[in-house]
Amino acid sequence: MLGRVSLDSGRVLLDHMEISNSEFPNLTKVHIAACGTSWHPAQTGKFMIEQLASMQVEVNYAREFRYRDPIVTPTTLTMLITDSGETADTIAARRKAKSRARKRWRSVTWSAPW
């Protein structure tokens, strides 16, 4: 979250998400789907979002998100996190999220600092 959260103003900077500021207040839930070691930063994100936004967050392994029938509505934001780029489970989870909620999804690739 370095560079994305301003501790001085309390603002979260998500310009790259292609979601307008007017859409954020309408969000009611966040799904985070992650693969492998990306599950750990997904859990950290869950706690941060719940604390900062008081919003319900659900974290799933991408393979579970892919095969279950998650409740995704137009007011749900789905985030996909992977540390290795595009994996089969992440791609399938993204397809499912896009088919259900149009543009309210975001894929994030992170790199461990070591």
Side-chain angles (χ1 to χ4, degrees):
M1 296 307 291
L2 185 62
R4 303 277 186 232
V5 178
S6 170
L7 298 178
D8 296 330
S9 68
R11 291 195 52 184
V12 178
L13 311 171
L14 299 172
D15 299 336
H16 62 284
M17 289 191 66
E18 300 175 7
I19 298 175
S20 71
N21 288 339
S22 63
E23 290 177 284
F24 275 105
N26 298 325
L27 296 177
T28 59
K29 184 175 185 176
V30 177
H31 278 287
I32 303 176
C35 290
T37 57
S38 297
W39 186 82
H40 300 287
Q43 286 293 331
T44 301
K46 168 189 168 74
F47 297 129
M48 290 181 73
I49 294 167
E50 287 177 340
Q51 184 177 28
L52 294 172
S54 297
M55 187 180 301
Q56 181 182 2
V57 180
E58 185 176 317
V59 175
N60 291 282
Y61 284 103
R63 70 179 174 273
E64 293 171 3
F65 187 88
R66 172 185 184 179
Y67 291 115
R68 59 185 272 257
D69 193 20
I71 299 170
V72 179
T73 69
T75 61
T76 302
L77 172 67
T78 303
M79 298 176 66
L80 308 167
I81 304 175
T82 177
D83 62 357
S84 60
E86 305 275 324
T87 64
D89 289 326
T90 304
I91 292 168
R94 178 175 54 201
R95 285 186 188 131
K96 181 170 272 193
K98 284 180 74 171
S99 72
R100 292 176 178 235
R102 293 180 218 58
K103 71 174 188 172
R104 285 191 173 88
W105 66 276
R106 183 67 187 160
S107 181
V108 177
T109 302
W110 74 284
S111 298
W114 50 87

